[in-house]
Amino acid sequence: MANVVVIGGGLAGLPIAYELRHLLPSEHTVTLISSESKFTFIPGLIQVALGLKPLEHVQLDLARLAQRHHLNWVPGKVTALDPQTHSITVEGEKTIEYDYVAIATGASLAFDQIPGLGPHGGYTQSVCTPDHSLTAHQAWLDLLKNPGPIVVGAAPGAGCFGPAYEFALMADHELRRRGLRDQVPITYVTPEPYAGHLGVSKVKNARELTANLMQKQGITVIENAAITAVDKHTITLDDGQQLPFNYSMVLPAFRGAKFIQAAPGLGDAKGFIPTLPTQRHPDFPNIYAAGVSIKLAQPDKTRVPIGLPKSGQMSEAMATAVAHNIAVELGAIKSPLQVPTLDALCFAEFGDTGIAYIAAPVLPDPETGKRKHSYAVRGPWVVWVKAAFEEYFMVKMRTGVGMPWFEKLGLRVIFGLQMLKPTTTNYEQTTVSP
């Protein structure tokens, strides 16, 4: 019988494993490999960094989840994947053979592209990992004792901008609550062509709502900016401008995991994995990928390079498609292959208000340049919805549920988003015998 391996226990990986276990008969093994011992709801790390919730609130123990939901748990970092021998090497020289593998590793962080960037050996903070959020929180406590300028932003090549906006505006809210805001000027620095772009152009109202909110809160915005260097108290831009800071949180550009970069033909030059619309690798028919690890090209030409965002909700849809299509390949279900639509929904929390950004799909039609839905709306309800979704998602991960039918129905009815669609196109030219 088949051994289906999932690499990564995050927002895409764990739902893939759960969906596979639900769809596949018990004689098939679902193996989960993760370098992290805990599942982390990454969007919650901003609140951890600002001291608004403990890290434990957004984490679950993967070993316990695997045991409870009948997954073969393998802790450790993948150091090599050989598509020819269908084998995976985990640190410690442990080798695992697979019939199918789903890669959902997320990304590695390219702090090394800019001197002085990052919390390890650099001078800026990050909210990309649990460890980073704890380091960022300690630096935040130091700032509260010694108030001074804050610089928040993203490095050239970054594709995830929502957390930077959230951090800047939530920090603003917290400082006002503490009576310290007049001592802490805040600057937002971004490679985006305009505030509110977020890596996705032509979203109705996004530019106006975002820029107006930043202006209202007194946050200085520097657009089309490339950070070139960071020292202990100064960020330098490519135009020579220098920004002093007592605290800085800058999101880095992403790369694919090292083992992807090391496997010939598996990924592109940056280690991102090309996929067919079914999430299957075009050259290796028993390799699938989902989430941040896949290759999605940014269609916009911008002065400073930016990536295309892959939201958590997009990752969920990809994860569901991966599990469904592997189950079809194994003959466990008789159903058309599924394709994620890449409809994107982002709830951005900004203190006592928020903005929901909708781009359906995130990539516009190549012929018309249009989307089915594309708009942004603002209100305090966004904060409530985001908090409710976090609790809902954590319940799903505790109970072993991927993307249930009522979640798909709710997204379609409320926001007009269709997460998946069946396809009759024969993308899969090669069959795999487990």
Side-chain angles (χ1 to χ4, degrees), residues 234-271:
T234 307
I235 286 178
T236 301
L237 306 183
D238 62 345
D239 63 359
Q241 187 174 179
Q242 293 191 320
L243 307 173
F245 67 87
N246 281 28
Y247 186 104
S248 179
M249 197 291 291
V250 177
L251 300 174
F254 290 166
R255 296 191 188 102
K258 288 185 178 180
F259 76 87
I260 299 172
Q261 299 177 53
L266 182 57
D268 65 7
K270 292 184 178 181

Side-chain angles (χ1 to χ4, degrees), residues 264-293:
L266 182 57
D268 65 7
K270 292 184 178 181
F272 293 115
I273 302 171
T275 60
L276 298 170
T278 54
Q279 303 304 125
R280 182 173 168 176
H281 196 287
D283 299 321
F284 304 113
N286 54 357
I287 296 178
Y288 285 77
V292 179
S293 59

Side-chain angles (χ1 to χ4, degrees), residues 206-382:
R207 183 173 190 170
E208 295 79 4
L209 290 177
T210 308
N212 289 345
L213 183 58
M214 299 288 270
Q215 183 178 21
K216 178 184 175 184
Q217 300 308 114
I219 297 175
T220 301
V221 177
I222 303 177
E223 306 160 339
N224 275 305
I227 297 172
T228 57
V230 183
D231 62 27
K232 191 171 182 180
H233 292 295
T234 307
I235 286 178
T236 301
L237 306 183
D238 62 345
D239 63 359
Q241 187 174 179
Q242 293 191 320
L243 307 173
F245 67 87
N246 281 28
Y247 186 104
S248 179
M249 197 291 291
V250 177
L251 300 174
F254 290 166
R255 296 191 188 102
K258 288 185 178 180
F259 76 87
I260 299 172
Q261 299 177 53
L266 182 57
D268 65 7
K270 292 184 178 181
F272 293 115
I273 302 171
T275 60
L276 298 170
T278 54
Q279 303 304 125
R280 182 173 168 176
H281 196 287
D283 299 321
F284 304 113
N286 54 357
I287 296 178
Y288 285 77
V292 179
S293 59
I294 76 162
K295 179 179 180 178
L296 282 179
Q298 169 59 255
D300 290 350
K301 302 299 181 183
T302 56
R303 189 190 81 81
V304 184
I306 59 174
L308 190 76
K310 302 156 192 172
S311 69
Q313 167 261 321
M314 288 170 62
S315 295
E316 265 198 282
M318 293 184 220
T320 305
V322 167
H324 176 96
N325 294 339
I326 290 175
V328 171
E329 288 287 325
L330 285 170
I333 57 175
K334 295 187 182 300
S335 176
L337 297 173
Q338 296 286 315
V339 173
T341 61
L342 301 185
D343 288 358
L345 169 63
C346 174
F347 292 113
E349 178 182 357
F350 299 146
D352 57 359
T353 189
I355 299 177
Y357 300 90
I358 292 92
V362 68
L363 289 170
D365 184 286
E367 294 183 2
T368 66
K370 296 181 179 180
R371 302 181 176 93
K372 293 181 300 179
H373 306 290
S374 179
Y375 61 94
V377 289
R378 175 184 161 188
W381 62 271
V382 176

Side-chain angles (χ1 to χ4, degrees), residues 11 41-47 49-50 125-129 151-154 158-172 188-190 192 198-199 214 247-252 254 292 309-312 346-351 355 357 386:
L11 292 173
F41 186 76
I42 297 295
L45 293 181
I46 297 169
Q47 292 197 10
L50 295 172
Q125 305 303 320
S126 160
V127 290
C128 296
T129 72
V151 177
V152 179
C160 182
F161 298 99
Y165 284 104
E166 287 190 303
F167 193 95
L169 285 158
M170 291 172 70
D172 166 80
Y188 179 79
V189 180
T190 180
E192 300 162 88
L198 281 87
M214 299 288 270
Y247 186 104
S248 179
M249 197 291 291
V250 177
L251 300 174
F254 290 166
V292 179
K310 302 156 192 172
S311 69
C346 174
F347 292 113
E349 178 182 357
F350 299 146
I355 299 177
Y357 300 90
K386 183 171 182 178

Side-chain angles (χ1 to χ4, degrees), residues 105-149:
T105 53
S108 59
L109 307 174
F111 290 117
D112 59 302
Q113 289 186 352
I114 299 173
L117 190 69
H120 302 301
Y123 306 101
T124 62
Q125 305 303 320
S126 160
V127 290
C128 296
T129 72
D131 287 347
H132 289 175
S133 70
L134 293 177
T135 302
H137 176 55
Q138 184 56 57
W140 175 254
L141 294 177
D142 294 340
L143 175 78
L144 297 180
K145 296 175 184 175
N146 182 29

